[in-house]
Amino acid sequence: MTIDYLALGEVLDPDEYVICVYRVKSDLDIRTAGSRIAEEESTGTWTHPTTLSDDIFRRYGAKVVEADGDLVTIGYPLVDFSGDIGGIPQILSIVAGNLFGLSSLKGVRLEDISLPRDLVERYPGPRFGIQGLRDVLKRPEMPLVGTIVKPKIGLPPKEFAEYVYEAGSGGLTNSKDDETLVDQDFCPLEERVSRVSEVLDLLEEEEHLMIHAHNITTSAHEILEAADLALENGARQLMVDVLTVGFSGLQALAEDPSVDVPLHVHRAMHGALTRDPEHGISMPVIAVLSRMAGGDALHVGTYGAGKMHGENELLSRDKLVEDMHGLKPVMPVSSGGLHPGVVHQLMEKSGNDVQIQAGGGVAGHPDGIRAGARAMIQAVEAAYSGISAEEYAVDHLELRRALEMWM
Ligand code: CAP
Ligand code: MG
Protein backbone atom coordinates (compact mmCIF):
# COMPACT_ATOMS: atom_id res chain seq x y z
CA MET A 1 0.00 0.00 0.00
CA THR A 2 1.39 3.44 -0.78
CA ILE A 3 1.47 5.66 2.25
CA ASP A 4 -0.47 8.75 1.18
CA TYR A 5 -1.91 11.21 3.72
CA LEU A 6 -4.07 12.85 1.05
CA ALA A 7 -7.70 11.85 1.31
CA LEU A 8 -9.17 14.84 -0.51
CA GLY A 9 -12.93 14.94 -0.51
CA GLU A 10 -13.29 12.25 2.13
CA VAL A 11 -16.05 13.11 4.60
CA LEU A 12 -14.81 12.42 8.11
CA ASP A 13 -17.09 11.30 10.94
CA PRO A 14 -16.84 14.18 13.47
CA ASP A 15 -17.30 11.63 16.26
CA GLU A 16 -14.22 9.75 15.14
CA TYR A 17 -11.78 12.55 14.26
CA VAL A 18 -10.26 15.68 15.71
CA ILE A 19 -10.56 18.01 12.73
CA CYS A 20 -8.20 20.98 12.37
CA VAL A 21 -7.95 23.79 9.85
CA TYR A 22 -4.49 25.22 9.25
CA ARG A 23 -3.43 28.26 7.24
CA VAL A 24 -0.15 27.40 5.53
CA LYS A 25 2.57 29.52 3.94
CA SER A 26 5.04 27.41 1.97
CA ASP A 27 6.79 27.09 -1.36
CA LEU A 28 5.35 23.60 -1.50
CA ASP A 29 2.07 22.86 -3.21
CA ILE A 30 -0.69 23.20 -0.60
CA ARG A 31 -1.50 19.48 -0.84
CA THR A 32 2.10 18.53 -0.19
CA ALA A 33 2.31 21.01 2.66
CA GLY A 34 -0.84 19.51 4.18
CA SER A 35 0.56 16.01 3.80
CA ARG A 36 3.76 17.06 5.60
CA ILE A 37 1.69 18.23 8.59
CA ALA A 38 -0.47 15.08 8.62
CA GLU A 39 2.62 12.90 8.31
CA GLU A 40 4.58 14.64 11.07
CA GLU A 41 1.65 14.71 13.50
CA SER A 42 0.52 11.10 13.02
CA THR A 43 2.53 8.14 11.71
CA GLY A 44 5.29 9.62 9.57
CA THR A 45 8.57 11.48 9.72
CA TRP A 46 10.96 12.99 7.14
CA THR A 47 11.65 9.62 5.56
CA HIS A 48 9.59 6.44 5.36
CA PRO A 49 10.12 4.30 8.51
CA THR A 50 10.57 0.66 7.53
CA THR A 51 8.51 -0.22 10.60
CA LEU A 52 5.45 1.71 9.39
CA SER A 53 3.09 -1.09 8.39
CA ASP A 54 0.01 -0.58 6.25
CA ASP A 55 -2.09 -1.56 9.23
CA ILE A 56 -0.56 1.11 11.48
CA PHE A 57 -1.00 3.75 8.80
CA ARG A 58 -4.58 2.72 8.12
CA ARG A 59 -5.48 2.85 11.83
CA TYR A 60 -3.55 5.89 12.99
CA GLY A 61 -2.61 7.98 9.96
CA ALA A 62 -4.01 11.50 9.71
CA LYS A 63 -5.95 12.53 6.61
CA VAL A 64 -5.78 15.70 4.54
CA VAL A 65 -9.39 16.01 3.42
CA GLU A 66 -9.29 19.56 2.06
CA ALA A 67 -6.46 21.61 0.56
CA ASP A 68 -7.50 24.82 -1.10
CA GLY A 69 -5.76 28.18 -1.40
CA ASP A 70 -3.70 28.50 1.78
CA LEU A 71 -5.99 26.36 3.96
CA VAL A 72 -5.78 22.65 4.71
CA THR A 73 -8.21 20.55 6.74
CA ILE A 74 -6.68 17.57 8.54
CA GLY A 75 -8.45 14.84 10.49
CA TYR A 76 -6.60 13.04 13.28
CA PRO A 77 -8.18 9.72 14.31
CA LEU A 78 -9.67 9.80 17.80
CA VAL A 79 -7.59 6.74 18.65
CA ASP A 80 -4.42 8.89 18.28
CA PHE A 81 -5.46 10.80 21.40
CA SER A 82 -4.49 9.46 24.75
CA GLY A 83 -6.91 8.11 27.33
CA ASP A 84 -6.76 9.01 31.05
CA ILE A 85 -3.12 10.13 30.94
CA GLY A 86 -2.41 12.86 28.38
CA GLY A 87 -5.15 15.46 28.60
CA ILE A 88 -5.05 18.76 26.75
CA PRO A 89 -1.24 18.76 26.73
CA GLN A 90 -1.23 15.62 24.58
CA ILE A 91 -3.94 16.98 22.30
CA LEU A 92 -1.78 20.06 21.71
CA SER A 93 1.31 17.95 21.13
CA ILE A 94 -0.49 16.53 18.11
CA VAL A 95 -2.57 19.42 16.69
CA ALA A 96 -0.07 22.14 17.60
CA GLY A 97 3.20 20.34 17.93
CA ASN A 98 6.24 19.80 15.68
CA LEU A 99 4.32 21.09 12.67
CA PHE A 100 5.08 24.68 13.63
CA GLY A 101 8.78 23.99 13.24
CA LEU A 102 8.79 22.14 9.92
CA SER A 103 11.39 23.88 7.76
CA SER A 104 9.36 23.04 4.65
CA LEU A 105 6.68 25.44 5.92
CA LYS A 106 7.38 29.17 6.10
CA GLY A 107 4.36 29.73 8.30
CA VAL A 108 1.45 27.74 9.68
CA ARG A 109 -1.45 28.87 11.84
CA LEU A 110 -3.95 26.60 13.57
CA GLU A 111 -7.16 28.46 12.75
CA ASP A 112 -9.89 26.11 13.98
CA ILE A 113 -10.46 22.84 15.78
CA SER A 114 -13.45 20.57 16.33
CA LEU A 115 -13.35 17.73 18.81
CA PRO A 116 -15.46 14.57 19.07
CA ARG A 117 -17.96 14.19 21.90
CA ASP A 118 -16.01 11.24 23.37
CA LEU A 119 -12.96 13.49 23.79
CA VAL A 120 -14.80 16.60 25.05
CA GLU A 121 -16.69 14.55 27.64
CA ARG A 122 -13.39 13.72 29.38
CA TYR A 123 -13.14 17.36 30.45
CA PRO A 124 -15.02 19.29 33.13
CA GLY A 125 -16.25 22.25 31.08
CA PRO A 126 -17.59 25.36 32.83
CA ARG A 127 -19.25 24.84 36.21
CA PHE A 128 -21.06 28.22 36.10
CA GLY A 129 -20.80 29.71 32.61
CA ILE A 130 -22.93 32.65 31.52
CA GLN A 131 -26.12 31.65 33.34
CA GLY A 132 -24.29 30.68 36.51
CA LEU A 133 -22.55 34.05 36.65
CA ARG A 134 -25.84 35.83 36.04
CA ASP A 135 -27.50 33.82 38.81
CA VAL A 136 -24.70 34.58 41.28
CA LEU A 137 -24.93 38.30 40.48
CA LYS A 138 -28.72 38.33 40.11
CA ARG A 139 -28.27 40.08 36.75
CA PRO A 140 -30.46 38.21 34.30
CA GLU A 141 -29.97 40.23 31.14
CA MET A 142 -27.65 43.24 31.16
CA PRO A 143 -23.90 43.01 30.57
CA LEU A 144 -21.73 42.39 33.60
CA VAL A 145 -19.65 45.49 34.27
CA GLY A 146 -16.30 45.22 35.96
CA THR A 147 -13.04 46.88 36.76
CA ILE A 148 -9.47 45.79 37.18
CA VAL A 149 -7.85 47.29 40.27
CA LYS A 150 -5.22 49.75 39.07
CA PRO A 151 -2.35 50.37 39.32
CA LYS A 152 -1.70 46.84 38.12
CA ILE A 153 0.65 46.28 41.06
CA GLY A 154 1.65 48.27 44.12
CA LEU A 155 -1.48 48.87 46.19
CA PRO A 156 -1.27 47.29 49.65
CA PRO A 157 -4.27 45.18 50.71
CA LYS A 158 -6.10 47.94 52.61
CA GLU A 159 -6.06 50.40 49.70
CA PHE A 160 -6.75 47.56 47.29
CA ALA A 161 -9.92 46.66 49.18
CA GLU A 162 -10.94 50.33 49.38
CA TYR A 163 -10.75 50.46 45.55
CA VAL A 164 -13.06 47.44 45.37
CA TYR A 165 -15.47 49.04 47.86
CA GLU A 166 -15.62 52.26 45.84
CA ALA A 167 -16.10 50.33 42.59
CA GLY A 168 -18.91 48.27 44.08
CA SER A 169 -20.51 51.35 45.62
CA GLY A 170 -20.53 52.83 42.14
CA GLY A 171 -22.60 49.87 40.96
CA LEU A 172 -20.09 47.58 39.25
CA THR A 173 -20.88 43.85 39.32
CA ASN A 174 -17.33 42.60 39.05
CA SER A 175 -13.79 43.45 39.94
CA LYS A 176 -10.59 41.51 39.58
CA ASP A 177 -6.89 41.32 40.30
CA ASP A 178 -4.73 42.33 37.37
CA GLU A 179 -2.99 39.56 35.49
CA THR A 180 0.42 40.20 37.03
CA LEU A 181 -0.75 40.44 40.65
CA VAL A 182 -0.73 37.18 42.60
CA ASP A 183 1.09 37.00 45.95
CA GLN A 184 3.75 39.74 45.94
CA ASP A 185 5.14 41.02 49.25
CA PHE A 186 3.35 44.36 48.85
CA CYS A 187 -0.03 42.66 48.54
CA PRO A 188 -0.03 39.08 49.84
CA LEU A 189 -2.84 36.93 48.45
CA GLU A 190 -4.18 35.85 51.84
CA GLU A 191 -4.54 39.36 53.25
CA ARG A 192 -5.87 40.76 49.96
CA VAL A 193 -8.55 38.09 49.74
CA SER A 194 -9.56 38.54 53.37
CA ARG A 195 -9.91 42.31 53.08
CA VAL A 196 -11.73 42.16 49.76
CA SER A 197 -14.08 39.54 51.15
CA GLU A 198 -14.95 41.90 54.01
CA VAL A 199 -15.80 44.74 51.65
CA LEU A 200 -17.83 42.45 49.40
CA ASP A 201 -19.88 41.44 52.44
CA LEU A 202 -20.33 45.11 53.35
CA LEU A 203 -21.34 45.95 49.78
CA GLU A 204 -23.90 43.15 49.83
CA GLU A 205 -25.39 44.53 53.04
CA GLU A 206 -25.63 47.86 51.20
CA GLU A 207 -27.45 46.15 48.30
CA HIS A 208 -24.44 46.11 45.97
CA LEU A 209 -23.89 42.51 44.83
CA MET A 210 -20.37 42.11 43.44
CA ILE A 211 -17.74 39.40 42.98
CA HIS A 212 -13.99 39.83 42.74
CA ALA A 213 -11.74 37.42 40.81
CA HIS A 214 -8.52 36.70 42.70
CA ASN A 215 -5.55 35.77 40.55
CA ILE A 216 -3.98 32.50 41.66
CA THR A 217 -1.78 32.01 38.61
CA THR A 218 0.99 29.77 39.87
CA SER A 219 2.82 26.48 39.25
CA ALA A 220 0.53 23.57 38.46
CA HIS A 221 1.54 21.63 41.59
CA GLU A 222 0.63 24.60 43.80
CA ILE A 223 -2.57 25.81 42.20
CA LEU A 224 -5.04 23.81 44.31
CA GLU A 225 -3.27 24.91 47.47
CA ALA A 226 -3.52 28.52 46.28
CA ALA A 227 -7.22 28.01 45.59
CA ASP A 228 -7.74 26.58 49.09
CA LEU A 229 -6.01 29.60 50.62
CA ALA A 230 -8.18 32.03 48.66
CA LEU A 231 -11.41 30.15 49.33
CA GLU A 232 -10.64 29.82 53.06
CA ASN A 233 -10.39 33.62 53.15
CA GLY A 234 -13.69 34.18 51.40
CA ALA A 235 -12.85 34.39 47.70
CA ARG A 236 -16.03 34.49 45.60
CA GLN A 237 -14.25 34.01 42.27
CA LEU A 238 -10.81 32.85 41.15
CA MET A 239 -8.77 33.85 38.13
CA VAL A 240 -5.91 32.29 36.20
CA ASP A 241 -3.84 33.41 33.23
CA VAL A 242 -4.61 30.28 31.24
CA LEU A 243 -1.65 30.40 28.87
CA THR A 244 0.96 30.84 31.57
CA VAL A 245 -0.72 28.42 33.97
CA GLY A 246 -1.57 26.00 31.20
CA PHE A 247 -4.95 24.55 30.33
CA SER A 248 -4.26 21.76 32.82
CA GLY A 249 -3.93 24.21 35.69
CA LEU A 250 -7.35 25.60 34.82
CA GLN A 251 -8.72 22.06 34.48
CA ALA A 252 -7.39 21.09 37.91
CA LEU A 253 -9.40 23.92 39.46
CA ALA A 254 -12.53 23.14 37.45
CA GLU A 255 -12.38 19.46 38.38
CA ASP A 256 -11.86 20.00 42.10
CA PRO A 257 -15.24 19.81 43.86
CA SER A 258 -14.02 22.13 46.61
CA VAL A 259 -13.47 24.93 44.06
CA ASP A 260 -17.13 25.90 43.89
CA VAL A 261 -16.72 29.47 42.60
CA PRO A 262 -16.63 30.85 39.04
CA LEU A 263 -13.29 30.79 37.24
CA HIS A 264 -12.27 33.95 35.36
CA VAL A 265 -9.78 33.18 32.59
CA HIS A 266 -7.29 35.84 31.51
CA ARG A 267 -5.30 35.24 28.32
CA ALA A 268 -2.00 37.02 29.02
CA MET A 269 0.65 35.89 26.49
CA HIS A 270 -1.96 35.03 23.87
CA GLY A 271 -0.48 37.65 21.54
CA ALA A 272 2.59 35.45 21.10
CA LEU A 273 0.31 32.85 19.50
CA THR A 274 -2.59 34.77 18.00
CA ARG A 275 -1.14 37.99 16.66
CA ASP A 276 0.71 36.85 13.53
CA PRO A 277 -1.86 36.10 10.82
CA GLU A 278 0.59 33.71 9.14
CA HIS A 279 1.88 31.74 12.12
CA GLY A 280 0.59 30.58 15.48
CA ILE A 281 -2.71 29.58 17.02
CA SER A 282 -5.98 31.49 16.68
CA MET A 283 -8.00 32.85 19.61
CA PRO A 284 -11.03 30.67 18.64
CA VAL A 285 -8.84 27.58 19.28
CA ILE A 286 -7.76 28.98 22.67
CA ALA A 287 -11.43 29.64 23.40
CA VAL A 288 -12.43 26.02 22.64
CA LEU A 289 -9.70 24.63 24.90
CA SER A 290 -10.40 27.11 27.71
CA ARG A 291 -14.10 26.14 27.62
CA MET A 292 -13.25 22.43 27.72
CA ALA A 293 -10.85 22.99 30.62
CA GLY A 294 -13.58 24.69 32.64
CA GLY A 295 -13.31 28.47 32.35
CA ASP A 296 -16.51 30.35 33.19
CA ALA A 297 -15.47 33.67 31.62
CA LEU A 298 -12.74 34.27 29.03
CA HIS A 299 -11.15 37.41 27.57
CA VAL A 300 -11.85 37.56 23.84
CA GLY A 301 -11.02 41.17 22.98
CA THR A 302 -12.91 44.43 22.47
CA TYR A 303 -14.16 44.16 18.85
CA GLY A 304 -11.94 47.10 17.92
CA ALA A 305 -13.14 49.39 20.72
CA GLY A 306 -10.05 49.07 22.93
CA LYS A 307 -6.28 49.32 23.11
CA MET A 308 -5.22 45.76 22.30
CA HIS A 309 -4.63 44.20 18.89
CA GLY A 310 -7.67 42.08 18.26
CA GLU A 311 -9.25 39.85 15.68
CA ASN A 312 -11.64 36.93 15.57
CA GLU A 313 -13.60 38.28 18.54
CA LEU A 314 -16.90 37.21 16.94
CA LEU A 315 -15.47 33.78 16.10
CA SER A 316 -14.03 33.39 19.59
CA ARG A 317 -17.35 34.49 21.10
CA ASP A 318 -19.19 31.95 18.96
CA LYS A 319 -16.85 29.18 20.14
CA LEU A 320 -17.68 30.13 23.72
CA VAL A 321 -21.45 30.07 23.32
CA GLU A 322 -22.31 27.65 20.49
CA ASP A 323 -23.34 24.09 21.24
CA MET A 324 -20.25 22.08 22.14
CA HIS A 325 -21.42 18.63 23.19
CA GLY A 326 -23.50 20.07 26.02
CA LEU A 327 -20.79 22.25 27.63
CA LYS A 328 -22.18 25.40 29.26
CA PRO A 329 -21.69 28.66 27.33
CA VAL A 330 -18.81 30.77 28.65
CA MET A 331 -19.10 34.52 29.37
CA PRO A 332 -17.04 36.49 26.80
CA VAL A 333 -15.01 39.21 28.51
CA SER A 334 -14.08 42.46 26.79
CA SER A 335 -11.23 44.37 28.37
CA GLY A 336 -8.36 46.62 27.40
CA GLY A 337 -8.48 50.35 26.87
CA LEU A 338 -12.24 50.52 27.48
CA HIS A 339 -13.98 53.55 28.98
CA PRO A 340 -17.57 54.89 29.06
CA GLY A 341 -17.14 56.62 25.71
CA VAL A 342 -16.64 53.36 23.79
CA VAL A 343 -19.19 51.13 25.56
CA HIS A 344 -21.84 51.83 22.95
CA GLN A 345 -19.47 50.83 20.12
CA LEU A 346 -18.52 47.67 22.00
CA MET A 347 -22.07 46.57 22.80
CA GLU A 348 -23.14 47.02 19.19
CA LYS A 349 -20.80 44.09 18.42
CA SER A 350 -20.80 42.14 21.69
CA GLY A 351 -24.50 42.20 22.51
CA ASN A 352 -25.55 41.86 26.16
CA ASP A 353 -23.92 38.52 26.99
CA VAL A 354 -20.61 40.17 27.77
CA GLN A 355 -18.52 41.14 30.79
CA ILE A 356 -17.24 44.63 30.07
CA GLN A 357 -14.16 45.60 32.07
CA ALA A 358 -12.40 48.91 32.51
CA GLY A 359 -9.25 49.43 34.53
CA GLY A 360 -8.00 52.82 33.43
CA GLY A 361 -11.53 53.60 32.30
CA VAL A 362 -12.62 53.56 35.98
CA ALA A 363 -9.39 54.41 37.83
CA GLY A 364 -8.71 57.35 35.52
CA HIS A 365 -12.05 59.11 36.04
CA PRO A 366 -11.41 62.70 37.24
CA ASP A 367 -13.79 62.30 40.18
CA GLY A 368 -12.42 59.01 41.50
CA ILE A 369 -13.23 55.31 41.48
CA ARG A 370 -16.88 55.50 42.54
CA ALA A 371 -17.60 58.11 39.86
CA GLY A 372 -15.68 56.04 37.31
CA ALA A 373 -17.77 53.02 38.19
CA ARG A 374 -20.99 55.03 37.94
CA ALA A 375 -19.91 56.38 34.55
CA MET A 376 -19.38 52.85 33.24
CA ILE A 377 -22.75 51.69 34.58
CA GLN A 378 -24.43 54.75 33.06
CA ALA A 379 -22.78 54.08 29.70
CA VAL A 380 -24.02 50.48 29.76
CA GLU A 381 -27.53 51.59 30.77
CA ALA A 382 -27.55 54.05 27.90
CA ALA A 383 -26.39 51.51 25.31
CA TYR A 384 -28.78 48.87 26.68
CA SER A 385 -31.70 51.32 26.37
CA GLY A 386 -30.62 52.46 22.89
CA ILE A 387 -29.86 56.00 24.06
CA SER A 388 -26.62 57.69 22.99
CA ALA A 389 -24.04 58.24 25.70
CA GLU A 390 -24.06 61.96 24.92
CA GLU A 391 -27.83 62.18 25.46
CA TYR A 392 -27.68 60.07 28.61
CA ALA A 393 -24.83 62.24 29.91
CA VAL A 394 -27.05 65.30 29.96
CA ASP A 395 -28.48 64.23 33.29
CA HIS A 396 -25.76 61.81 34.41
CA LEU A 397 -22.83 63.82 35.68
CA GLU A 398 -20.32 61.01 36.06
CA LEU A 399 -20.81 59.89 32.47
CA ARG A 400 -20.59 63.50 31.26
CA ARG A 401 -17.29 63.98 33.05
CA ALA A 402 -15.91 60.76 31.53
CA LEU A 403 -16.91 61.77 28.01
CA GLU A 404 -15.36 65.22 28.53
CA MET A 405 -12.16 63.48 29.57
CA TRP A 406 -11.81 60.76 26.96
CA MET A 407 -13.88 61.65 23.89
C1 CAP B 1 -6.92 46.16 30.95
C2 CAP B 1 -6.00 45.06 31.43
C3 CAP B 1 -6.27 43.75 30.75
C4 CAP B 1 -5.93 43.68 29.30
C5 CAP B 1 -6.44 42.35 28.81
C6 CAP B 1 -4.54 45.42 31.23
O1 CAP B 1 -6.61 47.31 31.64
O2 CAP B 1 -6.18 44.84 32.80
O3 CAP B 1 -5.45 42.78 31.38
O4 CAP B 1 -6.42 44.68 28.58
O5 CAP B 1 -6.44 42.38 27.44
O6 CAP B 1 -3.78 44.96 32.08
O7 CAP B 1 -4.22 46.06 30.23
P1 CAP B 1 -7.20 48.68 31.05
P2 CAP B 1 -7.19 41.21 26.67
O8 CAP B 1 -8.70 48.62 31.16
O9 CAP B 1 -6.62 49.76 31.93
O10 CAP B 1 -6.75 48.77 29.64
O11 CAP B 1 -8.55 41.13 27.30
O12 CAP B 1 -7.19 41.69 25.26
O13 CAP B 1 -6.39 39.98 26.90
MG1 MG C 1 -4.61 43.48 33.06
Side-chain angles (χ1 to χ4, degrees):
M1 173 187 180
T2 6
I3 301 287
D4 184 354
Y5 293 89
L6 281 179
L8 295 178
E10 185 172 333
V11 178
L12 299 177
D13 179 349
D15 288 334
E16 293 303 324
Y17 284 85
V18 171
I19 300 171
C20 293
V21 177
Y22 298 94
R23 188 176 307 280
V24 181
K25 186 178 177 187
S26 171
D27 293 336
L28 297 172
D29 166 82
I30 189 68
R31 295 176 180 198
T32 311
S35 298
R36 293 286 165 82
I37 294 173
E39 176 183 65
E40 178 60 37
E41 297 303 353
S42 61
T43 53
T45 184
W46 62 277
T47 186
H48 177 74
T50 54
T51 46
L52 174 55
S53 68
D54 290 352
D55 185 49
I56 287 174
F57 173 68
R58 198 174 24 254
R59 288 170 183 269
Y60 312 118
K63 296 181 176 188
V64 182
V65 292
E66 280 178 61
D68 187 17
D70 62 353
L71 293 177
V72 293
T73 301
I74 296 176
Y76 300 99
L78 179 56
V79 68
D80 288 8
F81 296 88
S82 185
D84 296 340
I85 300 170
I88 293 176
Q90 192 264 340
I91 294 174
L92 286 170
S93 297
I94 291 180
V95 304
N98 286 357
L99 66 97
F100 286 120
L102 289 173
S103 50
S104 55
L105 306 181
K106 289 182 176 166
V108 51
R109 192 173 198 260
L110 175 54
E111 294 285 3
D112 196 5
I113 188 170
S114 75
L115 301 129
R117 174 180 291 275
D118 284 359
L119 198 52
V120 171
E121 285 180 346
R122 297 176 200 169
Y123 295 88
R127 195 194 304 256
F128 289 81
I130 295 178
Q131 193 53 51
L133 280 165
R134 290 189 174 286
D135 294 344
V136 164
L137 290 165
K138 299 186 175 56
R139 194 166 173 93
E141 277 176 23
M142 292 182 78
L144 308 187
V145 193
T147 188
I148 309 103
V149 178
K150 300 286 179 177
K152 189 167 272 208
I153 54 172
L155 289 183
K158 182 173 175 300
E159 285 77 358
F160 188 99
E162 283 164 4
Y163 183 118
V164 175
Y165 179 73
E166 288 301 302
S169 301
L172 294 187
T173 58
N174 297 74
S175 62
K176 63 182 276 295
D177 296 351
D178 223 326
E179 76 283 354
T180 57
L181 178 69
V182 184
D183 187 32
Q184 288 92 321
D185 291 347
F186 56 76
C187 195
L189 178 69
E190 185 171 12
E191 189 186 350
R192 179 168 79 248
V193 175
S194 170
R195 286 182 178 272
V196 167
S197 172
E198 281 167 19
V199 302
L200 293 180
D201 290 343
L202 181 56
L203 284 166
E204 193 164 355
E205 284 163 27
E206 296 167 356
E207 307 288 309
H208 291 296
L209 190 48
M210 182 191 211
I211 56 176
H212 180 95
H214 284 291
N215 188 6
I216 56 166
T217 295
T218 188
S219 317
H221 65 282
E222 292 171 349
I223 199 150
L224 289 178
E225 196 183 315
D228 288 347
L229 180 66
L231 293 169
E232 276 158 23
N233 285 278
R236 299 189 184 196
Q237 187 176 23
L238 299 175
M239 162 181 158
V240 290
D241 301 341
V242 68
L243 293 171
T244 56
V245 155
F247 294 102
S248 310
L250 170 60
Q251 182 184 341
L253 295 172
E255 281 181 342
D256 189 309
S258 67
V259 180
D260 57 353
V261 296
L263 301 175
H264 183 99
V265 182
H266 196 284
R267 58 176 186 168
M269 194 170 78
H270 79 91
L273 299 171
T274 61
R275 187 155 190 176
D276 182 341
E278 293 183 342
H279 190 79
I281 299 174
S282 79
M283 190 59 213
V285 169
I286 295 170
V288 166
L289 297 173
S290 299
R291 184 177 182 185
M292 245 165 80
D296 292 299
L298 171 72
H299 290 234
V300 295
T302 59
Y303 306 85
K307 73 182 182 185
M308 309 290 270
H309 167 80
E311 44 109 29
N312 280 342
E313 284 95 339
L314 289 170
L315 270 180
S316 301
R317 194 268 313 276
D318 292 349
K319 291 291 181 184
L320 291 182
V321 301
E322 70 188 13
D323 178 51
M324 186 178 162
H325 305 310
L327 294 189
K328 289 190 175 115
V330 173
M331 181 63 86
V333 177
S334 283
S335 176
L338 297 180
H339 59 77
V342 298
V343 164
H344 212 287
Q345 174 191 340
L346 174 75
M347 283 176 60
E348 274 172 359
K349 296 269 181 70
S350 68
N352 294 322
D353 265 347
V354 61
Q355 180 171 328
I356 302 171
Q357 290 185 172
V362 167
H365 193 284
D367 303 327
I369 305 302
R370 188 175 305 202
R374 284 192 178 135
M376 279 300 290
I377 290 295
Q378 291 160 6
V380 169
E381 287 168 351
Y384 183 78
S385 329
I387 303 167
S388 76
E390 292 69 20
E391 195 184 331
Y392 207 73
V394 168
D395 46 14
H396 291 87
L397 173 64
E398 295 86 354
L399 178 54
R400 188 161 70 245
R401 294 273 285 157
L403 298 182
E404 286 164 358
M405 175 126 192
W406 288 308
M407 295 303 278

